[in-house]
Amino acid sequence: MQGILQHPSGLVREVKAGFSWTTFFFGFFPAFFRGDVKWGLIQLVLAIVVGTITVGIGTGLVSLVFSFIYNKIYINDLIEKGYRPIDTSFQQALKQRGIHARLLSETPARQEAAF
């Protein structure tokens, strides 16, 4: 299921919950394209280490494993950065996948300092 996460500052990210076909086919590259350098490097290092040990066969295994977990990791990282789902249907879909996030409308507004 696809949905939209929005930051209180107005930034919007369209995300997909569930299996990551892009990670399955392209390995660590989608993480870098999304700007997720931390998890891109983790996937790259794991692919190199496991690939070296298994003479290249294990790199596909790393992609397969991350295909099942990467979208959840990415969404959790965005929620930690302040992004929130904008509608209840996507919020419920996230909740079914074990990701608990408040709606953007439920997020308290930031108070500006009065001078």
Side-chain angles (χ1 to χ4, degrees):
M1 170 173 211
Q2 287 188 334
I4 297 175
L5 296 178
Q6 184 175 3
H7 194 270
S9 67
L11 294 173
V12 175
R13 296 281 180 149
E14 187 174 335
V15 294
K16 181 180 180 284
F19 189 82
S20 175
W21 286 101
T22 55
T23 301
F24 179 73
F25 287 114
F26 303 112
F28 55 87
F29 287 110
F32 287 122
F33 293 145
R34 292 177 179 178
D36 193 2
V37 177
K38 175 180 77 171
W39 284 101
L41 286 174
I42 290 170
Q43 289 180 52
L44 175 63
V45 169
L46 280 174
I48 290 171
V49 169
V50 173
T52 303
I53 294 170
T54 62
V55 192
I57 298 170
T59 58
L61 180 64
V62 171
S63 292
L64 179 65
V65 169
F66 271 96
S67 297
F68 285 99
I69 63 173
Y70 178 66
N71 280 341
K72 185 174 182 178
I73 291 169
Y74 180 64
I75 292 171
N76 277 326
D77 283 351
L78 288 177
I79 288 171
E80 287 177 12
K81 292 177 184 176
Y83 285 82
R84 300 287 180 250
I86 62 170
D87 61 359
T88 56
S89 63
F90 190 57
Q91 180 189 29
Q92 292 302 321
L94 292 177
K95 192 176 286 188
Q96 289 174 352
R97 288 170 171 81
I99 303 170
H100 298 285
R102 294 183 310 198
L103 288 174
L104 183 64
S105 60
E106 298 172 347
T107 305
R110 295 188 314 190
Q111 297 284 333
E112 296 295 327
F115 291 102

